[in-house]
Amino acid sequence: MFETGLSKTQIQTVALTSTAILLGAVWMARPSSFLFPLQQHEHHCRCFPGDDCWPSLEEWADFNKTIGGKLISTIPIASPCHDSFPGVDYDPDKCAQIRANWERPEFHIETTHSPMAALFANLSCDPFTPRDAQCIVGAYVPYVVNASDADDYRKTIAFVKERNIRLVIRNTGHDYMGKSTGAGALAIWTHNIKERSILDYTSAGYTGKAMKIGAGVLSSEAIEMAKAEGLVVVGGDCPSVGIAGGYTQGGGTSPLSTKFGLAADQVLEWEVVTGKGELLTATPTQNQDLYWALSGGGGGTYGAVLSMTVMLHRDGPTAGATLSFTEPSDKFWDMVKVFLMNLPAVLDAGASLYAWYLPGNTFLISQSYLLEGTSQDLQRLLQPTLKALDESGILYTWEGHDYPTFQDAFYTQNPKQDVAEINLGGRLIPRSLMKSNDSVDSLVDALKSIVDNGGMMATVCADTTHPPTFPNSAHPAWRETLFLVFLYTIYDRYNMTTNILNKQKVTNVLDPALVKLTPGGAVYLNEADNNHPDWPDAFYGPNYPKLAAIKKMYDPEDIFWGPTAVGREMWEIATDGRLCKVGP
């Protein structure tokens, strides 16, 4: 683990002076269109640092005793880069280390507070701002409970309800929607709930191998346990993702999705503590509504998940291949059209792949997977694309490989993922766009416009059309999807104005090119524009009313809240950072 140089006492003490979180106004990435008058805060907003209702240091210490000393007060990870945070000295060597490691997901995972998507830290304490710039807790959660069991969950939920404090659920901070941090919030940090085991599972709908996965388990940890038994678990493209959290609860795309479906399609059980403080087991036959909602309806919304149990599948030899070419002329987009028309047959044959569209007219298939297939099979499946490239005279690079297991293919093709510093958008692209030459041309034009306007794209190409074993709340559009577009502009570490403009470009220019093609369509809960103007329909579709009713049943006091989460419309972030109820 990267060392910050902060002592254990500094990190864990709840006696740290709270003046740092009271310094100045908090600049927010999405300032609200309104600001509640100060005199109404007590009645309509969550209690905030500096308010009379905010717990004293003694009261925080008393709460800490009830949870066995698991309360951690936030010391911003970049504080050695500045002079102003109480108890931390400026240290140029430590600051250089922090800057060198900043893009690594693993660096943020081990902290209690730092989101990988720097936009949501809102320059509170940034390693790339000048030494004399502010370093405050600001948009970070000021306190965290290092949870280990349901009792910690219950006591934390009870404390925030009693004190009217905002609650946040955090595991790794691998989050593009801003759900894993929050000004003035107390967080349940699930990262150290690492229990996992492989089971022989029997139920009315499934008999076979399964894995029980604690809330803090990373995808890589689950993958390794499954591999040791000759099995695979459906996990994300980024090994650092917390598999039981927002990833699976938000649907969960995977290199194995063509073969087995979304991550949400694998779930057999959830262990969850609700907003009422009840520890429940949710399955397709027990607390079915809660099971349905958690399996694709979003994380940190209906309750705090303690564990999930998912189906496992047999591992096997896996083929992989990469393809790349660059062509400055419009012949590039002719080749893209051939590839798109080739794609349904590739997925129907059991493959999945990741294709990139980059500035300079560069196309790249960086990863592809065919479980129980060979590289020759992949080459045959993509032959229409390769033939068109040969006939066009465009130079390209093709490499096929055969791996003994899926995991070998996964880690060889996907060795490192540093993907946090981006301004994100995206869309699910339905198979129906492949039905006519005109609709394919329109799709190619839309992709071209995104690149021409400074955007970059990755597409997750997998067949998610097969129905799940058990009904779940993943957006119905997944069952008609050909691929997911993950589009973005690059986050600028040194110019927040540029980031604001680039985020607006995603919302107003890049995303609309695909929205126009897919009216009434959908986005992926975990990889989309958090400012999407039609977010309930785009994120949840026709499931939203039912999901909202289930939330009200299990979380009647709106303890769980997050940007773009079900129930988000009931609360808003005020301009000073506090969470306030919408309306009088």
Side-chain angles (χ1 to χ4, degrees):
M1 184 194 308
F2 174 78
E3 294 295 333
T4 65
L6 305 179
S7 71
K8 182 176 180 181
T9 301
Q10 282 179 306
I11 294 173
Q12 293 186 335
T13 181
V14 296
L16 177 70
T17 177
S18 59
T19 55
I21 56 181
L22 306 179
L23 296 177
V26 181
W27 181 88
M28 300 303 296
R30 283 187 73 237
S32 123
S33 60
F34 62 92
L35 174 61
F36 284 93
L38 286 174
Q39 65 268 22
Q40 293 187 8
H41 282 162
E42 180 181 351
H43 303 291
H44 299 292
C45 301
R46 296 297 186 200
C47 189
F48 201 68
D51 293 346
D52 290 342
C53 58
W54 187 254
S56 66
L57 293 178
E58 292 76 14
E59 289 168 324
W60 282 112
D62 289 342
F63 171 60
N64 188 35
K65 291 176 185 176
T66 71
I67 54 173
K70 297 175 183 176
L71 188 66
I72 302 172
S73 60
T74 293
I75 299 176
I77 193 67
S79 53
C81 294
H82 301 279
D83 292 307
S84 56
F85 197 84
V88 181
D89 295 327
Y90 172 75
D91 188 318
D93 293 333
K94 289 175 185 173
C95 184
Q97 285 183 286
I98 291 165
R99 289 175 176 173
N101 282 275
W102 196 254
E103 69 177 359
R104 296 175 55 244
E106 297 81 3
F107 177 75
H108 300 274
I109 285 171
E110 297 302 327
T111 76
T112 60
H113 59 279
S114 183
M116 294 183 201
L119 187 68
F120 298 108
N122 300 327
L123 299 180
S124 297
C125 186
D126 192 286
F128 301 102
T129 55
R131 173 180 173 178
D132 60 356
Q134 73 169 9
C135 180
I136 61 174
V137 172
Y140 295 129
V141 291
Y143 288 101
V144 170
V145 174
N146 184 10
S148 57
D149 54 31
D151 195 48
D152 292 335
Y153 283 25
R154 284 196 193 99
K155 288 176 179 176
T156 304
I157 290 170
F159 184 79
V160 298
K161 288 168 72 172
E162 177 187 357
R163 300 288 186 160
N164 189 31
I165 294 172
R166 180 180 175 184
L167 180 67
V168 163
I169 310 298
R170 174 191 169 87
N171 177 10
T172 65
H174 192 128
D175 165 29
Y176 293 116
M177 298 294 114
K179 296 178 181 178
S180 64
T181 192
L186 173 61
I188 294 176
W189 190 38
T190 68
H191 183 59
N192 292 308
I193 303 176
K194 296 290 191 182
E195 292 80 9
R196 54 198 181 276
S197 58
I198 293 179
L199 314 169
D200 291 311
Y201 194 91
T202 300
S203 70
Y206 176 78
T207 298
K209 291 292 184 181
M211 184 184 292
K212 185 174 183 179
I213 301 171
V217 174
L218 304 185
S219 183
S220 59
E221 294 166 336
I223 288 171
E224 288 304 313
M225 173 170 273
K227 180 182 180 182
E229 299 294 326
L231 301 166
V232 293
V233 60
V234 174
D237 183 48
C238 296
S240 57
V241 167
I243 191 169
Y247 165 70
T248 296
Q249 292 171 54
T253 62
S254 171
L256 288 166
S257 285
T258 293
K259 196 74 174 178
F260 305 117
L262 298 170
D265 298 343
Q266 317 304 311
V267 181
L268 298 166
E269 293 186 12
W270 296 100
E271 261 191 313
V272 58
V273 177
T274 71
K276 298 178 181 179
E278 301 172 312
L279 174 62
L280 299 178
T281 298
T283 76
T285 58
Q286 179 183 359
N287 298 310
Q288 298 99 316
D289 52 356
L290 185 57
Y291 168 87
W292 181 85
L294 288 167
S295 304
T301 307
Y302 317 96
V305 166
L306 191 63
S307 75
M308 72 173 184
T309 302
V310 296
M311 306 176 199
L312 296 178
H313 306 279
R314 183 59 52 189
D315 200 357
T318 302
T322 58
L323 170 66
S324 63
F325 63 88
T326 299
E327 171 54 48
S329 76
D330 280 345
K331 287 197 298 184
F332 174 84
W333 295 104
D334 294 337
M335 293 304 102
V336 168
K337 179 179 178 180
V338 172
F339 166 74
L340 292 174
M341 296 180 72
N342 185 186
L343 187 56
V346 175
L347 303 187
D348 289 345
S352 60
L353 55 86
Y354 293 72
W356 297 74
Y357 305 83
L358 302 170
N361 282 10
T362 294
F363 176 88
L364 169 65
I365 295 177
S366 59
Q367 308 171 51
S368 58
Y369 302 90
L370 184 59
L371 190 63
E372 303 292 352
T374 67
S375 55
Q376 288 78 15
D377 293 331
L378 277 175
Q379 187 168 5
R380 174 179 53 79
L381 290 171
L382 282 161
Q383 192 57 38
T385 301
L386 300 177
K387 180 182 178 183
L389 286 166
D390 288 330
E391 292 175 349
S392 71
I394 297 175
L395 297 177
Y396 64 90
T397 300
W398 167 269
E399 291 187 12
H401 299 278
D402 295 295
Y403 302 93
T405 69
F406 165 76
Q407 289 89 343
D408 291 313
F410 179 73
Y411 283 114
T412 302
Q413 296 183 96
N414 186 34
K416 193 173 188 290
Q417 291 269 345
D418 295 335
V419 292
E421 293 186 301
I422 56 179
N423 304 299
L424 187 63
R427 196 76 173 173
L428 300 187
I429 303 302
R431 283 177 171 248
S432 60
L433 289 182
M434 296 296 107
K435 289 182 178 179
S436 74
N437 193 62
D438 288 346
S439 61
V440 178
D441 284 340
S442 295
L443 176 57
V444 171
D445 289 344
L447 298 178
K448 182 177 185 298
S449 75
I450 291 168
V451 174
D452 288 348
N453 279 291
M456 287 169 271
M457 288 176 288
T459 59
V460 181
C461 308
D463 179 10
T464 59
T465 61
H466 32 76
T469 303
F470 308 106
N472 63 38
S473 57
H475 199 300
W478 279 112
R479 311 309 170 187
E480 303 169 1
T481 292
L482 182 65
F483 59 87
L484 159 70
V485 175
F486 174 104
L487 63 85
Y488 60 97
T489 58
I490 298 297
Y491 178 86
D492 190 326
R493 290 173 171 175
Y494 302 99
N495 192 327
M496 189 55 70
T497 299
T498 298
N499 289 321
I500 295 170
L501 294 174
N502 278 340
K503 199 75 175 72
Q504 291 172 348
K505 179 189 286 187
V506 168
T507 302
N508 300 324
V509 179
L510 304 186
D511 258 4
L514 298 176
V515 172
K516 182 180 178 181
L517 282 179
T518 57
V523 302
Y524 175 30
L525 268 175
N526 297 324
E527 295 176 356
D529 177 16
N530 65 301
N531 292 332
H532 198 292
D534 189 26
W535 67 271
D537 284 340
F539 282 75
Y540 304 97
N543 291 335
Y544 194 83
K546 182 177 176 180
L547 289 168
I550 293 170
K551 175 176 174 58
K552 187 174 182 180
M553 183 184 305
Y554 290 98
D555 182 28
E557 298 180 55
D558 275 348
I559 298 303
F560 300 102
W561 183 89
T564 74
V566 170
R568 171 253 182 271
E569 71 275 13
M570 304 300 293
W571 298 78
E572 183 63 284
I573 303 295
T575 53
D576 64 354
R578 68 181 69 227
L579 184 64
C580 296
K581 198 144 190 173
V582 173

